[in-house]
Short mmCIF file of all heavy atoms in Angstrom, two decimals:
data_model
loop_
_atom_site.label_atom_id
_atom_site.label_comp_id
_atom_site.label_asym_id
_atom_site.label_seq_id
_atom_site.Cartn_x
_atom_site.Cartn_y
_atom_site.Cartn_z
N LEU A 273 -10.36 7.10 -9.57
CA LEU A 273 -9.03 6.94 -10.17
C LEU A 273 -8.93 5.78 -11.09
O LEU A 273 -8.44 5.81 -12.21
CB LEU A 273 -7.99 6.81 -9.08
CG LEU A 273 -7.74 7.99 -8.13
CD1 LEU A 273 -6.64 7.70 -7.17
CD2 LEU A 273 -7.51 9.25 -8.85
N SER A 274 -9.39 4.54 -10.61
CA SER A 274 -9.19 3.35 -11.39
C SER A 274 -10.09 2.27 -10.89
O SER A 274 -10.62 2.31 -9.80
CB SER A 274 -7.66 2.94 -11.28
OG SER A 274 -7.40 1.93 -12.27
N VAL A 275 -10.18 1.18 -11.65
CA VAL A 275 -10.92 -0.03 -11.27
C VAL A 275 -10.00 -1.19 -11.47
O VAL A 275 -9.34 -1.30 -12.50
CB VAL A 275 -12.27 -0.16 -12.04
CG1 VAL A 275 -11.98 -0.27 -13.57
CG2 VAL A 275 -13.04 -1.30 -11.53
N LEU A 276 -10.01 -2.10 -10.52
CA LEU A 276 -9.14 -3.28 -10.53
C LEU A 276 -9.91 -4.50 -11.11
O LEU A 276 -11.07 -4.63 -10.81
CB LEU A 276 -8.63 -3.60 -9.20
CG LEU A 276 -7.35 -2.96 -8.65
CD1 LEU A 276 -6.18 -3.38 -9.47
CD2 LEU A 276 -7.53 -1.43 -8.75
N PRO A 277 -9.22 -5.34 -11.88
CA PRO A 277 -9.92 -6.57 -12.34
C PRO A 277 -10.15 -7.50 -11.17
O PRO A 277 -9.28 -7.74 -10.35
CB PRO A 277 -8.88 -7.19 -13.35
CG PRO A 277 -7.60 -6.59 -12.91
CD PRO A 277 -7.90 -5.23 -12.36
N VAL A 278 -11.37 -8.01 -11.11
CA VAL A 278 -11.73 -8.86 -9.95
C VAL A 278 -11.72 -10.35 -10.40
O VAL A 278 -12.52 -10.71 -11.23
CB VAL A 278 -13.11 -8.51 -9.37
CG1 VAL A 278 -13.51 -9.43 -8.26
CG2 VAL A 278 -13.08 -7.10 -8.89
N LYS A 279 -10.84 -11.14 -9.82
CA LYS A 279 -10.77 -12.52 -10.16
C LYS A 279 -11.87 -13.36 -9.46
O LYS A 279 -12.43 -14.26 -9.98
CB LYS A 279 -9.36 -13.08 -9.82
CG LYS A 279 -9.20 -14.53 -10.15
CD LYS A 279 -7.84 -15.05 -9.79
CE LYS A 279 -7.65 -16.50 -10.08
NZ LYS A 279 -6.28 -16.98 -9.70
N SER A 280 -12.09 -12.97 -8.21
CA SER A 280 -13.14 -13.64 -7.44
C SER A 280 -13.52 -12.69 -6.32
O SER A 280 -13.08 -11.57 -6.22
CB SER A 280 -12.66 -14.95 -6.87
OG SER A 280 -11.74 -14.72 -5.80
N GLY A 281 -14.42 -13.11 -5.45
CA GLY A 281 -14.80 -12.31 -4.36
C GLY A 281 -13.68 -11.94 -3.43
O GLY A 281 -13.83 -10.99 -2.66
N TYR A 282 -12.60 -12.73 -3.47
CA TYR A 282 -11.42 -12.36 -2.63
C TYR A 282 -10.56 -11.32 -3.31
O TYR A 282 -9.54 -10.94 -2.78
CB TYR A 282 -10.56 -13.64 -2.43
CG TYR A 282 -11.08 -14.58 -1.38
CD1 TYR A 282 -11.39 -15.88 -1.64
CD2 TYR A 282 -11.23 -14.11 -0.08
CE1 TYR A 282 -11.85 -16.72 -0.65
CE2 TYR A 282 -11.68 -14.94 0.96
CZ TYR A 282 -11.94 -16.26 0.63
OH TYR A 282 -12.42 -17.11 1.61
N GLY A 283 -10.99 -10.84 -4.52
CA GLY A 283 -10.11 -10.05 -5.33
C GLY A 283 -10.14 -8.55 -5.07
O GLY A 283 -9.46 -7.81 -5.75
N TYR A 284 -11.01 -8.06 -4.17
CA TYR A 284 -11.10 -6.67 -4.01
C TYR A 284 -9.81 -5.96 -3.46
O TYR A 284 -9.16 -6.63 -2.61
CB TYR A 284 -12.29 -6.31 -3.10
CG TYR A 284 -13.63 -6.54 -3.75
CD1 TYR A 284 -14.70 -6.93 -2.98
CD2 TYR A 284 -13.84 -6.42 -5.16
CE1 TYR A 284 -15.96 -7.23 -3.55
CE2 TYR A 284 -15.02 -6.68 -5.69
CZ TYR A 284 -16.17 -7.04 -4.91
OH TYR A 284 -17.35 -7.31 -5.50
N PRO A 285 -9.48 -4.76 -3.90
CA PRO A 285 -8.20 -4.22 -3.46
C PRO A 285 -8.20 -3.77 -2.01
O PRO A 285 -9.22 -3.42 -1.45
CB PRO A 285 -8.01 -3.01 -4.40
CG PRO A 285 -9.42 -2.71 -4.85
CD PRO A 285 -10.19 -3.96 -4.85
N HIS A 286 -6.99 -3.75 -1.36
CA HIS A 286 -6.82 -3.33 -0.05
C HIS A 286 -5.34 -2.98 0.20
O HIS A 286 -4.55 -3.00 -0.72
CB HIS A 286 -7.30 -4.37 0.95
CG HIS A 286 -6.58 -5.69 0.79
ND1 HIS A 286 -5.35 -5.98 1.40
CD2 HIS A 286 -6.94 -6.79 0.08
CE1 HIS A 286 -5.00 -7.22 1.07
NE2 HIS A 286 -5.96 -7.77 0.26
N SER A 287 -5.00 -2.55 1.42
CA SER A 287 -3.62 -2.32 1.85
C SER A 287 -3.01 -1.24 0.89
O SER A 287 -1.90 -1.44 0.32
CB SER A 287 -2.77 -3.57 1.83
OG SER A 287 -3.35 -4.48 2.67
N LEU A 288 -3.69 -0.08 0.72
CA LEU A 288 -3.17 0.96 -0.15
C LEU A 288 -1.93 1.67 0.46
O LEU A 288 -1.89 1.83 1.67
CB LEU A 288 -4.23 2.02 -0.43
CG LEU A 288 -5.38 1.64 -1.43
CD1 LEU A 288 -6.21 0.45 -1.00
CD2 LEU A 288 -6.25 2.85 -1.70
N ALA A 289 -1.00 2.12 -0.38
CA ALA A 289 0.19 2.79 0.07
C ALA A 289 0.61 3.86 -0.93
O ALA A 289 0.88 3.55 -2.07
CB ALA A 289 1.33 1.79 0.26
N TRP A 290 0.60 5.12 -0.53
CA TRP A 290 1.05 6.28 -1.34
C TRP A 290 2.54 6.26 -1.54
O TRP A 290 3.30 5.99 -0.58
CB TRP A 290 0.64 7.65 -0.73
CG TRP A 290 -0.77 8.03 -0.85
CD1 TRP A 290 -1.74 7.76 0.03
CD2 TRP A 290 -1.36 8.81 -1.93
NE1 TRP A 290 -2.94 8.33 -0.41
CE2 TRP A 290 -2.69 8.99 -1.60
CE3 TRP A 290 -0.88 9.36 -3.11
CZ2 TRP A 290 -3.60 9.72 -2.40
CZ3 TRP A 290 -1.76 10.04 -3.91
CH2 TRP A 290 -3.07 10.24 -3.55
N SER A 291 3.00 6.55 -2.73
CA SER A 291 4.43 6.80 -2.89
C SER A 291 4.84 8.11 -2.22
O SER A 291 3.97 9.06 -2.17
CB SER A 291 4.83 6.82 -4.39
OG SER A 291 4.14 7.83 -5.06
N PRO A 292 5.99 8.23 -1.76
CA PRO A 292 6.41 9.51 -1.01
C PRO A 292 6.23 10.76 -1.85
O PRO A 292 5.94 11.82 -1.35
CB PRO A 292 7.87 9.25 -0.65
CG PRO A 292 7.98 7.74 -0.49
CD PRO A 292 7.08 7.20 -1.55
N ASP A 293 6.40 10.63 -3.22
CA ASP A 293 6.24 11.84 -4.08
C ASP A 293 4.77 12.09 -4.43
O ASP A 293 4.52 13.05 -5.14
CB ASP A 293 7.09 11.71 -5.37
CG ASP A 293 6.65 10.48 -6.23
OD1 ASP A 293 5.60 9.89 -5.90
OD2 ASP A 293 7.33 10.19 -7.18
N GLY A 294 3.88 11.24 -3.94
CA GLY A 294 2.43 11.46 -4.13
C GLY A 294 1.96 11.11 -5.52
O GLY A 294 0.80 11.38 -5.86
N GLN A 295 2.79 10.48 -6.36
CA GLN A 295 2.46 10.24 -7.78
C GLN A 295 1.69 8.96 -7.95
O GLN A 295 0.98 8.82 -8.94
CB GLN A 295 3.69 10.29 -8.64
CG GLN A 295 4.44 11.62 -8.59
CD GLN A 295 3.56 12.75 -9.14
OE1 GLN A 295 2.97 12.72 -10.22
NE2 GLN A 295 3.46 13.80 -8.24
N ARG A 296 1.92 7.94 -7.18
CA ARG A 296 1.35 6.63 -7.38
C ARG A 296 0.83 5.98 -6.08
O ARG A 296 1.29 6.39 -5.00
CB ARG A 296 2.41 5.68 -8.01
CG ARG A 296 2.68 6.10 -9.45
CD ARG A 296 3.79 5.20 -10.06
NE ARG A 296 5.10 5.49 -9.45
CZ ARG A 296 6.22 4.91 -9.84
NH1 ARG A 296 6.17 3.94 -10.77
NH2 ARG A 296 7.37 5.21 -9.24
N ILE A 297 -0.03 5.03 -6.20
CA ILE A 297 -0.62 4.31 -5.07
C ILE A 297 -0.38 2.84 -5.34
O ILE A 297 -0.82 2.28 -6.38
CB ILE A 297 -2.08 4.63 -4.90
CG1 ILE A 297 -2.34 6.12 -4.70
CG2 ILE A 297 -2.67 3.81 -3.78
CD1 ILE A 297 -3.77 6.50 -4.83
N ALA A 298 0.31 2.19 -4.44
CA ALA A 298 0.49 0.72 -4.52
C ALA A 298 -0.63 0.09 -3.67
O ALA A 298 -1.17 0.65 -2.69
CB ALA A 298 1.81 0.30 -3.99
N LEU A 299 -1.05 -1.15 -4.12
CA LEU A 299 -2.15 -1.80 -3.37
C LEU A 299 -2.06 -3.32 -3.60
O LEU A 299 -1.30 -3.77 -4.46
CB LEU A 299 -3.49 -1.26 -3.75
CG LEU A 299 -3.80 -1.24 -5.27
CD1 LEU A 299 -4.42 -2.53 -5.73
CD2 LEU A 299 -4.72 -0.10 -5.61
N VAL A 300 -2.84 -4.05 -2.84
CA VAL A 300 -2.95 -5.50 -2.92
C VAL A 300 -4.30 -5.83 -3.54
O VAL A 300 -5.35 -5.25 -3.12
CB VAL A 300 -2.82 -6.18 -1.58
CG1 VAL A 300 -2.97 -7.69 -1.76
CG2 VAL A 300 -1.46 -5.84 -0.97
N ASN A 301 -4.41 -6.67 -4.50
CA ASN A 301 -5.63 -7.20 -5.08
C ASN A 301 -5.77 -8.62 -4.83
O ASN A 301 -5.04 -9.50 -5.41
CB ASN A 301 -5.67 -6.88 -6.57
CG ASN A 301 -7.03 -6.97 -7.19
OD1 ASN A 301 -8.02 -6.86 -6.40
ND2 ASN A 301 -7.15 -7.26 -8.46
N GLY A 302 -6.65 -9.05 -3.87
CA GLY A 302 -6.83 -10.42 -3.55
C GLY A 302 -6.50 -10.72 -2.09
O GLY A 302 -5.80 -9.95 -1.44
N ASN A 303 -7.03 -11.86 -1.57
CA ASN A 303 -6.80 -12.35 -0.20
C ASN A 303 -7.04 -11.24 0.86
O ASN A 303 -6.16 -10.89 1.58
CB ASN A 303 -5.42 -12.88 -0.11
CG ASN A 303 -5.19 -13.75 1.16
OD1 ASN A 303 -6.07 -13.84 1.99
ND2 ASN A 303 -4.02 -14.37 1.27
N LYS A 304 -8.27 -10.86 0.90
CA LYS A 304 -8.61 -9.85 1.90
C LYS A 304 -8.46 -10.39 3.32
O LYS A 304 -8.23 -9.64 4.28
CB LYS A 304 -10.04 -9.35 1.74
CG LYS A 304 -11.08 -10.49 1.93
CD LYS A 304 -12.50 -9.92 1.67
CE LYS A 304 -13.53 -10.98 1.93
NZ LYS A 304 -14.85 -10.53 1.56
N ALA A 305 -8.58 -11.66 3.50
CA ALA A 305 -8.52 -12.31 4.80
C ALA A 305 -7.13 -12.19 5.45
O ALA A 305 -6.96 -12.26 6.70
CB ALA A 305 -8.99 -13.76 4.79
N TRP A 306 -6.10 -12.05 4.59
CA TRP A 306 -4.72 -12.00 5.11
C TRP A 306 -4.52 -10.91 6.08
O TRP A 306 -3.73 -11.00 7.07
CB TRP A 306 -3.72 -11.77 3.91
CG TRP A 306 -2.48 -11.15 4.37
CD1 TRP A 306 -1.38 -11.76 4.96
CD2 TRP A 306 -2.16 -9.75 4.29
NE1 TRP A 306 -0.41 -10.81 5.25
CE2 TRP A 306 -0.90 -9.55 4.83
CE3 TRP A 306 -2.84 -8.59 3.84
CZ2 TRP A 306 -0.27 -8.30 4.91
CZ3 TRP A 306 -2.26 -7.40 3.94
CH2 TRP A 306 -1.00 -7.22 4.50
N ARG A 307 -5.22 -9.76 5.93
CA ARG A 307 -4.96 -8.60 6.79
C ARG A 307 -5.08 -8.92 8.23
O ARG A 307 -4.46 -8.26 9.10
CB ARG A 307 -5.91 -7.44 6.43
CG ARG A 307 -5.75 -7.05 4.93
CD ARG A 307 -6.22 -5.68 4.67
NE ARG A 307 -7.63 -5.43 5.09
CZ ARG A 307 -8.12 -4.23 5.24
NH1 ARG A 307 -7.41 -3.12 5.02
NH2 ARG A 307 -9.40 -4.12 5.57
N THR A 308 -5.96 -9.86 8.65
CA THR A 308 -6.17 -10.14 10.03
C THR A 308 -5.99 -11.62 10.38
O THR A 308 -6.41 -12.06 11.42
CB THR A 308 -7.62 -9.77 10.45
OG1 THR A 308 -8.56 -10.45 9.60
CG2 THR A 308 -7.84 -8.25 10.28
N SER A 309 -5.33 -12.35 9.55
CA SER A 309 -5.16 -13.82 9.73
C SER A 309 -3.84 -14.30 9.05
O SER A 309 -3.05 -13.53 8.59
CB SER A 309 -6.36 -14.53 9.19
OG SER A 309 -6.29 -14.59 7.76
N ALA A 310 -3.73 -15.66 9.01
CA ALA A 310 -2.58 -16.23 8.38
C ALA A 310 -2.97 -16.86 7.00
O ALA A 310 -2.33 -17.79 6.54
CB ALA A 310 -1.96 -17.32 9.24
N ASN A 311 -4.06 -16.34 6.40
CA ASN A 311 -4.54 -16.87 5.13
C ASN A 311 -3.42 -16.90 4.06
O ASN A 311 -2.66 -15.92 4.01
CB ASN A 311 -5.73 -16.13 4.67
CG ASN A 311 -6.52 -16.81 3.53
OD1 ASN A 311 -6.04 -16.84 2.44
ND2 ASN A 311 -7.68 -17.26 3.86
N VAL A 312 -3.37 -17.91 3.25
CA VAL A 312 -2.28 -18.04 2.26
C VAL A 312 -2.77 -17.95 0.79
O VAL A 312 -2.01 -18.22 -0.12
CB VAL A 312 -1.53 -19.36 2.46
CG1 VAL A 312 -0.84 -19.40 3.80
CG2 VAL A 312 -2.46 -20.58 2.24
N LEU A 313 -4.02 -17.51 0.57
CA LEU A 313 -4.52 -17.44 -0.80
C LEU A 313 -3.72 -16.41 -1.57
O LEU A 313 -3.16 -15.46 -1.06
CB LEU A 313 -6.01 -16.97 -0.77
CG LEU A 313 -6.86 -17.30 -1.97
CD1 LEU A 313 -6.98 -18.76 -2.20
CD2 LEU A 313 -8.21 -16.63 -1.78
N GLY A 314 -3.57 -16.63 -2.88
CA GLY A 314 -2.84 -15.78 -3.74
C GLY A 314 -3.32 -14.33 -3.81
O GLY A 314 -4.52 -14.09 -3.60
N ALA A 315 -2.43 -13.39 -4.02
CA ALA A 315 -2.77 -11.99 -4.12
C ALA A 315 -1.65 -11.31 -4.94
O ALA A 315 -0.50 -11.75 -4.96
CB ALA A 315 -2.93 -11.33 -2.78
N ALA A 316 -1.98 -10.25 -5.62
CA ALA A 316 -1.07 -9.53 -6.49
C ALA A 316 -0.90 -8.10 -6.05
O ALA A 316 -1.81 -7.42 -5.50
CB ALA A 316 -1.56 -9.52 -7.96
N ILE A 317 0.30 -7.51 -6.26
CA ILE A 317 0.62 -6.07 -6.06
C ILE A 317 0.30 -5.36 -7.38
O ILE A 317 0.73 -5.76 -8.44
CB ILE A 317 2.03 -5.89 -5.65
CG1 ILE A 317 2.42 -6.75 -4.43
CG2 ILE A 317 2.32 -4.40 -5.41
CD1 ILE A 317 1.74 -6.26 -3.13
N TRP A 318 -0.42 -4.25 -7.26
CA TRP A 318 -0.72 -3.35 -8.36
C TRP A 318 -0.32 -1.96 -8.03
O TRP A 318 -0.14 -1.55 -6.95
CB TRP A 318 -2.25 -3.39 -8.68
CG TRP A 318 -2.74 -4.72 -9.32
CD1 TRP A 318 -2.88 -5.89 -8.68
CD2 TRP A 318 -3.14 -4.87 -10.64
NE1 TRP A 318 -3.38 -6.85 -9.53
CE2 TRP A 318 -3.56 -6.26 -10.72
CE3 TRP A 318 -3.21 -4.11 -11.82
CZ2 TRP A 318 -4.02 -6.82 -11.91
CZ3 TRP A 318 -3.73 -4.68 -12.94
CH2 TRP A 318 -4.11 -6.01 -13.01
N ILE A 319 -0.19 -1.09 -9.16
CA ILE A 319 0.10 0.32 -9.01
C ILE A 319 -1.04 1.10 -9.72
O ILE A 319 -1.43 0.74 -10.86
CB ILE A 319 1.43 0.66 -9.65
CG1 ILE A 319 2.53 -0.08 -8.99
CG2 ILE A 319 1.72 2.14 -9.63
CD1 ILE A 319 2.84 0.29 -7.59
N VAL A 320 -1.44 2.15 -9.10
CA VAL A 320 -2.44 3.11 -9.64
C VAL A 320 -1.89 4.44 -9.71
O VAL A 320 -1.33 4.93 -8.65
CB VAL A 320 -3.77 2.99 -8.89
CG1 VAL A 320 -4.71 4.08 -9.39
CG2 VAL A 320 -4.43 1.64 -8.98
N ASP A 321 -2.03 5.19 -10.81
CA ASP A 321 -1.53 6.54 -10.85
C ASP A 321 -2.45 7.48 -10.07
O ASP A 321 -3.66 7.34 -10.06
CB ASP A 321 -1.50 7.09 -12.36
CG ASP A 321 -0.80 8.40 -12.45
OD1 ASP A 321 -1.42 9.40 -12.09
OD2 ASP A 321 0.34 8.37 -12.98
N ALA A 322 -1.86 8.38 -9.32
CA ALA A 322 -2.69 9.25 -8.39
C ALA A 322 -3.52 10.18 -9.10
O ALA A 322 -4.45 10.77 -8.48
CB ALA A 322 -1.67 10.00 -7.46
N ASP A 323 -3.31 10.38 -10.41
CA ASP A 323 -4.19 11.20 -11.24
C ASP A 323 -5.19 10.39 -12.02
O ASP A 323 -5.94 10.98 -12.83
CB ASP A 323 -3.33 12.07 -12.16
CG ASP A 323 -2.54 13.13 -11.41
OD1 ASP A 323 -3.00 13.60 -10.40
OD2 ASP A 323 -1.42 13.42 -11.91
N GLY A 324 -5.20 9.09 -11.85
CA GLY A 324 -6.17 8.22 -12.55
C GLY A 324 -5.54 7.54 -13.72
O GLY A 324 -4.49 7.87 -14.21
N GLY A 325 -6.27 6.52 -14.26
CA GLY A 325 -5.82 5.81 -15.42
C GLY A 325 -5.90 4.32 -15.15
O GLY A 325 -6.36 3.86 -14.14
N GLU A 326 -5.43 3.56 -16.11
CA GLU A 326 -5.40 2.08 -16.00
C GLU A 326 -4.48 1.59 -14.94
O GLU A 326 -3.37 2.09 -14.80
CB GLU A 326 -5.02 1.49 -17.35
CG GLU A 326 -6.04 1.67 -18.44
CD GLU A 326 -7.36 0.98 -18.13
OE1 GLU A 326 -7.32 -0.14 -17.65
OE2 GLU A 326 -8.44 1.57 -18.35
N PRO A 327 -4.84 0.61 -14.13
CA PRO A 327 -3.96 0.07 -13.10
C PRO A 327 -2.84 -0.73 -13.82
O PRO A 327 -3.02 -1.25 -14.84
CB PRO A 327 -4.87 -0.82 -12.27
CG PRO A 327 -5.95 -1.29 -13.19
CD PRO A 327 -6.20 -0.06 -14.13
N VAL A 328 -1.71 -0.84 -13.14
CA VAL A 328 -0.54 -1.56 -13.64
C VAL A 328 -0.19 -2.71 -12.67
O VAL A 328 0.01 -2.46 -11.46
CB VAL A 328 0.62 -0.62 -13.84
CG1 VAL A 328 1.83 -1.44 -14.36
CG2 VAL A 328 0.26 0.44 -14.86
N ARG A 329 -0.09 -3.92 -13.19
CA ARG A 329 0.27 -5.05 -12.36
C ARG A 329 1.80 -5.13 -12.07
O ARG A 329 2.55 -4.94 -13.01
CB ARG A 329 -0.18 -6.39 -13.02
CG ARG A 329 0.04 -7.61 -12.17
CD ARG A 329 -0.14 -8.87 -13.00
NE ARG A 329 -1.59 -9.11 -13.19
CZ ARG A 329 -2.34 -9.87 -12.40
NH1 ARG A 329 -1.82 -10.42 -11.39
NH2 ARG A 329 -3.59 -10.09 -12.74
N VAL A 330 2.14 -5.32 -10.85
CA VAL A 330 3.54 -5.48 -10.47
C VAL A 330 3.96 -6.92 -10.26
O VAL A 330 5.02 -7.33 -10.68
CB VAL A 330 3.85 -4.67 -9.19
CG1 VAL A 330 5.32 -4.87 -8.77
CG2 VAL A 330 3.56 -3.20 -9.38
N THR A 331 3.04 -7.74 -9.68
CA THR A 331 3.31 -9.18 -9.51
C THR A 331 2.07 -9.94 -9.99
O THR A 331 0.98 -9.35 -10.14
CB THR A 331 3.55 -9.58 -8.06
OG1 THR A 331 2.35 -9.51 -7.30
CG2 THR A 331 4.59 -8.56 -7.40
N ASP A 332 2.23 -11.29 -10.15
CA ASP A 332 1.07 -12.08 -10.48
C ASP A 332 0.39 -12.49 -9.14
O ASP A 332 0.88 -12.14 -8.06
CB ASP A 332 1.45 -13.28 -11.31
CG ASP A 332 2.46 -14.20 -10.64
OD1 ASP A 332 2.47 -14.27 -9.36
OD2 ASP A 332 3.21 -14.93 -11.35
N ASP A 333 -0.64 -13.29 -9.20
CA ASP A 333 -1.35 -13.71 -8.03
C ASP A 333 -1.31 -15.24 -7.86
O ASP A 333 -2.12 -15.80 -7.19
CB ASP A 333 -2.79 -13.23 -8.04
CG ASP A 333 -3.59 -13.70 -9.21
OD1 ASP A 333 -3.05 -14.41 -10.04
OD2 ASP A 333 -4.72 -13.30 -9.33
N THR A 334 -0.34 -15.88 -8.46
CA THR A 334 -0.19 -17.33 -8.25
C THR A 334 0.40 -17.61 -6.86
O THR A 334 0.25 -18.77 -6.36
CB THR A 334 0.74 -17.97 -9.33
OG1 THR A 334 2.02 -17.33 -9.27
CG2 THR A 334 0.16 -17.77 -10.72
N THR A 335 1.00 -16.60 -6.22
CA THR A 335 1.42 -16.74 -4.87
C THR A 335 0.89 -15.52 -4.07
O THR A 335 0.30 -14.66 -4.66
CB THR A 335 2.99 -16.77 -4.74
OG1 THR A 335 3.52 -15.60 -5.37
CG2 THR A 335 3.53 -17.99 -5.45
N MET A 336 1.17 -15.51 -2.77
CA MET A 336 0.67 -14.40 -1.94
C MET A 336 1.71 -13.27 -1.96
O MET A 336 2.80 -13.42 -1.52
CB MET A 336 0.49 -14.88 -0.53
CG MET A 336 -0.22 -13.79 0.37
SD MET A 336 -0.45 -14.39 2.06
CE MET A 336 1.27 -14.41 2.63
N ASN A 337 1.31 -12.05 -2.44
CA ASN A 337 2.12 -10.89 -2.47
C ASN A 337 1.32 -9.77 -1.81
O ASN A 337 0.33 -9.29 -2.31
CB ASN A 337 2.43 -10.49 -3.95
CG ASN A 337 3.13 -11.61 -4.65
OD1 ASN A 337 4.34 -11.88 -4.52
ND2 ASN A 337 2.38 -12.40 -5.50
N VAL A 338 1.76 -9.31 -0.62
CA VAL A 338 0.99 -8.39 0.22
C VAL A 338 1.90 -7.37 0.91
O VAL A 338 3.12 -7.35 0.71
CB VAL A 338 0.27 -9.22 1.28
CG1 VAL A 338 -0.78 -10.12 0.69
CG2 VAL A 338 1.27 -10.02 2.11
N SER A 339 1.22 -6.40 1.57
CA SER A 339 1.90 -5.44 2.41
C SER A 339 2.89 -4.55 1.70
O SER A 339 4.09 -4.44 2.05
CB SER A 339 2.61 -6.11 3.66
OG SER A 339 2.93 -5.13 4.64
#
Side-chain angles (χ1 to χ4, degrees):
L273 297 183
S274 190
V275 61
L276 275 292
V278 178
K279 180 179 179 181
S280 72
Y282 280 121
Y284 291 147
H286 57 86
S287 303
L288 283 64
W290 282 92
S291 61
D293 62 9
Q295 299 300 308
R296 290 176 289 181
I297 302 165
L299 53 88
V300 178
N301 194 23
N303 194 354
K304 65 183 181 182
W306 155 81
R307 302 203 303 166
T308 57
S309 72
N311 193 288
V312 297
L313 200 63
I317 304 291
W318 289 72
I319 300 291
V320 171
D321 192 284
D323 292 327
E326 291 296 318
V328 177
R329 183 191 287 267
V330 176
T331 73
D332 62 26
D333 58 4
T334 59
T335 57
M336 185 181 71
N337 303 281
V338 293
S339 196

